[in-house]
């Protein structure tokens, strides 16, 4: 799949300890995005952050290392991203999801192996 020009980036922030049916929440989201045929999804683990609880979580020595922030970024056309959003409703995500307009300047999909 080749994607270029205007697109939407869906970024979902969750804790790394969030789960869905005994597997990481970020894994469930990535697999749903893949099943929906979206152009791509990546998961990024944060080293430090805080959210609605105002509690700072960090990987620094002598600090708690659970509940670290995780960002799942998914990019595709606006139509596909907006059609995908309802597939996340049943996850009851306690986090933040944001949409950004982006411009894809280079994307080259690999061949299916």
């Amino acid at each position: 799949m080749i994607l270029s020009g205007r697109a939407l980036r869906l970024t979902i922030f969750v804790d790394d300890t969030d789960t869905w049916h005994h597997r990481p929440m970020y894994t469930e989201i990535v697999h749903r995005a893949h099943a929906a045929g979206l152009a791509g999804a990546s998961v990024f683990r944060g080293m430090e952050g805080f959210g609605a609880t105002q509690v700072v979580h960090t990987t620094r020595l002598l600090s708690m290392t659970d509940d670290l922030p995780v960002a799942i970024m998914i990019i595709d056309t606006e139509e596909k991203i907006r059609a995908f959003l309802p597939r996340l409703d049943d996850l009851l995500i306690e986090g933040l999801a944001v949409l950004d307009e982006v411009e894809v300047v280079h994307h080259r999909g690999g061949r299916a192996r």
Side-chain angles (χ1 to χ4, degrees):
M1 164 187 242
I2 296 177
L3 182 65
S4 65
R6 289 184 40 154
L8 276 186
R9 174 178 51 205
L10 169 62
T11 306
I12 304 164
F13 298 93
V14 298
D15 291 337
D16 66 347
T17 57
D18 291 343
T19 60
W20 174 256
H21 293 215
H22 307 291
R23 69 192 242 182
M25 180 73 70
Y26 56 84
T27 299
E28 180 65 22
I29 293 169
V30 167
H31 284 262
R32 288 183 185 203
H34 183 260
L38 297 179
S42 297
V43 177
F44 301 93
R45 176 169 285 158
M47 297 179 63
E48 190 165 13
F50 71 93
T53 64
Q54 298 297 303
V55 176
V56 175
H57 301 277
T58 181
T59 60
R60 287 184 279 144
L61 190 60
L62 301 176
S63 297
M64 293 177 55
T65 58
D66 60 340
D67 292 334
L68 291 173
V70 173
I72 306 105
M73 292 187 187
I74 304 168
I75 298 177
D76 209 315
T77 63
E78 180 174 359
E79 297 78 23
K80 286 186 175 183
I81 292 291
R82 291 200 184 274
F84 177 68
L85 288 173
R87 293 185 182 202
L88 302 176
D89 288 344
D90 66 321
L91 296 180
L92 303 173
I93 297 170
E94 290 185 15
L96 175 68
V98 296
L99 290 172
D100 300 304
E101 287 187 13
V102 296
E103 181 179 352
V104 176
V105 295
H106 178 79
H107 177 261
R108 179 175 298 145
R111 292 185 191 168
R113 296 179 195 267

